[in-house]
Amino acid sequence: GAVAACPITGYAKKAETQTKTAVYLGVKDYGAPQTNKDHKNHFIYRFQVDGKEQWFLLKNGKKNAEGKYDYPIQNVLKEGYSYKIKIKNNKVIKATEISSDETTAVTVLAGTPGEKTLINFLVTALMPMGKALYIYGGGWDWQDEGSSRQACTIGVPADWVRFFASQNAGYTYKGSDPTKSYYPYGGYNEYYYAGLDCSGYLGWVVYNTFETEDGKEGYVGGSTGAAKRMAEAGWGKWTQNVPVPKAGRTVFLPGDIMSINGHVWISLGTCEDGSVLIAHSSPTLSRSGQPGGGVQLSALGNSKKCQAYQLAQRYMKKNCPDWYGRYEVALKDPGTYVSFTGDSAGRFTWDTAGKNGGLKDPEGMRSMGPEEVLKALEK
């Protein structure tokens, strides 16, 4: 083992590995200007051990060819959770979560992991509705380069439900005081586990549609290029020819993915009046005016009288009463939600012929309007 000098005698002694039960309290000096991604390899971490706060370094894991660490311990630590930690030379070399009884989340609907059909994709998209708040970087890993463990989990992770239950209508995804905010001011995702941003949400839905077990490679990536990447994976077609939806013009079919600059959303289809029902994770305002909405159904339309808004309102009120008590259903401007610049954004439509790795559609979901879609999903 490693040999360290005794600070009292000066003689070398063999460093001992200790195992302790600890509650993770977070990064020391979180939100301070120097506590940023450029210094993340040298962060100090706060734990509560035997009723007292103690500070430790963390082992950063393995380096890849580019010299980047994989941060395995940082990617399991969640503030307020209990762990068995192994410590050597004042550095945590392993952390194992002490599981609570809260291992599964009850959902209104349940998708079938690995069933590559359009109806299953849409059922899966509804599963976290009203259970996951908006977290900037939520669903991404701690170092902000790929999927979090939660985004590679089959079923709705209890972490999201627990965080939702711990907050109220006053929750904001970006507080003005960095030390009390869940926003990643330092450029790393300390609260990766607590909820979802738009691309984290899409990545989790795709994972649960394509995979059957936890811990495989994830599907989370930048929102602006998400639709294009799905086409490049061979799952369907991508286009930048996306007119503004209006009555008599069906621009979006059920299951379509739309990437705009900095956001991505899923279509549940176009209503007769041209309004579009969408699923996404967005920091929409609470009834007390705080941005934090999370995974939800919203509407693209010109007024709250539009059909998509009425459908979203009915669904969220009925199936997500706790969420609906805090948040109003959001009405989004159709022009804004299809507008983009550059060569990365655009609309993706699944290949349903089943030849090229897309999603089959034996139920004929793509020919349905949003009201029919919701009825089919709720059967």
Side-chain angles (χ1 to χ4, degrees):
V3 175
C6 174
I8 299 171
T9 66
Y11 290 111
K13 67 172 186 177
K14 197 168 185 178
E16 292 181 0
T17 301
Q18 296 177 298
T19 300
K20 294 180 181 285
T21 299
V23 177
Y24 177 59
L25 301 178
V27 173
K28 186 176 179 292
D29 299 324
Y30 183 77
Q34 71 275 14
T35 312
N36 62 49
K37 62 181 179 180
D38 296 330
H39 302 126
K40 65 179 181 287
N41 291 341
H42 310 289
F43 284 171
I44 297 170
Y45 298 82
R46 302 164 50 231
F47 291 84
Q48 186 179 54
V49 182
D50 298 329
K52 295 179 182 178
E53 182 170 321
Q54 294 188 21
W55 301 343
F56 300 106
L57 299 170
L58 288 190
K59 187 177 180 181
N60 292 325
K62 298 174 183 174
K63 276 185 181 180
N64 64 13
E66 298 171 355
K68 292 181 179 179
Y69 289 104
D70 60 355
Y71 307 102
I73 302 174
Q74 289 88 335
N75 276 293
V76 299
L77 291 179
K78 301 171 286 195
E79 286 187 22
Y81 284 64
S82 296
Y83 296 86
K84 285 279 186 191
I85 58 172
K86 282 189 177 180
I87 308 155
K88 191 172 185 178
N89 292 331
N90 211 44
K91 180 181 283 189
V92 176
I93 59 173
K94 188 176 182 182
T96 305
E97 184 181 341
I98 299 171
S99 298
S100 66
D101 293 333
E102 189 185 17
T103 53
T104 56
V106 177
T107 60
V108 175
L109 299 170
T112 305
E115 184 180 285
K116 297 177 184 178
T117 62
L118 193 57
I119 191 170
N120 189 52
F121 175 77
L122 293 171
V123 166
T124 302
L126 294 184
M127 286 173 62
M129 291 279 154
K131 291 181 168 58
L133 288 168
Y134 185 87
I135 289 275
Y136 193 99
W140 291 74
D141 57 21
W142 182 84
Q143 62 268 39
D144 200 34
E145 291 177 357
S147 301
S148 70
R149 288 188 169 208
Q150 289 71 19
C152 302
T153 296
I154 297 298
V156 175
D159 293 329
W160 302 344
V161 182
R162 179 173 173 175
F163 187 77
F164 180 89
S166 74
Q167 302 296 322
N168 57 31
Y171 165 76
T172 174
Y173 86 96
K174 188 178 182 180
S176 55
D177 178 357
T179 63
K180 297 177 181 175
S181 175
Y182 299 101
Y183 185 79
Y185 281 100
Y188 62 96
N189 295 319
E190 180 69 4
Y191 300 95
Y192 64 89
Y193 59 90
L196 286 168
D197 67 13
C198 60
S199 50
Y201 168 56
L202 177 63
W204 177 87
V205 176
V206 173
Y207 189 93
N208 273 258
T209 305
F210 279 65
E211 305 297 339
T212 58
E213 56 186 277
D214 297 350
K216 299 285 189 181
E217 189 174 343
Y219 296 89
V220 176
S223 57
T224 309
K228 188 177 184 180
R229 286 195 308 275
M230 292 174 77
E232 288 170 347
W235 300 340
K237 293 183 178 179
W238 172 80
T239 181
Q240 290 197 308
N241 180 20
V242 189
V244 178
K246 65 179 184 179
R249 176 193 281 168
T250 299
V251 180
F252 294 100
L253 300 174
D256 283 1
I257 313 291
M258 182 68 204
S259 285
I260 55 178
N261 300 90
H263 193 52
V264 62
W265 51 267
I266 300 169
S267 162
L268 273 79
T270 306
C271 297
E272 289 179 2
D273 63 0
S275 60
V276 182
L277 184 65
I278 72 169
H280 61 158
S281 186
S282 173
T284 57
L285 295 180
S286 71
R287 297 184 185 275
S288 57
Q290 298 301 316
V295 180
Q296 59 187 287
L297 288 181
S298 300
L300 307 188
N302 297 315
S303 86
K304 290 184 177 179
K305 293 180 180 177
C306 74
Q307 291 167 331
Y309 187 86
Q310 297 302 315
L311 288 171
Q313 177 104 336
R314 194 166 74 203
Y315 185 89
M316 296 304 289
K317 184 177 182 180
K318 173 188 168 189
N319 294 312
C320 309
D322 293 342
W323 184 93
Y324 188 78
R326 299 183 204 176
Y327 296 96
E328 293 187 43
V329 169
L331 179 71
K332 299 295 185 179
D333 174 59
T336 303
Y337 259 55
V338 302
S339 296
F340 55 86
T341 57
D343 58 5
S344 295
R347 185 193 69 212
F348 168 82
T349 299
W350 291 97
D351 168 23
T352 55
K355 296 176 183 176
N356 301 317
L359 298 179
K360 294 180 181 178
D361 185 21
E363 293 80 9
M365 302 298 293
R366 287 215 299 194
S367 64
M368 298 182 188
E371 188 164 17
E372 285 179 283
V373 167
L374 287 179
K375 284 179 181 175
L377 299 184
E378 291 184 276
K379 275 184 181 176

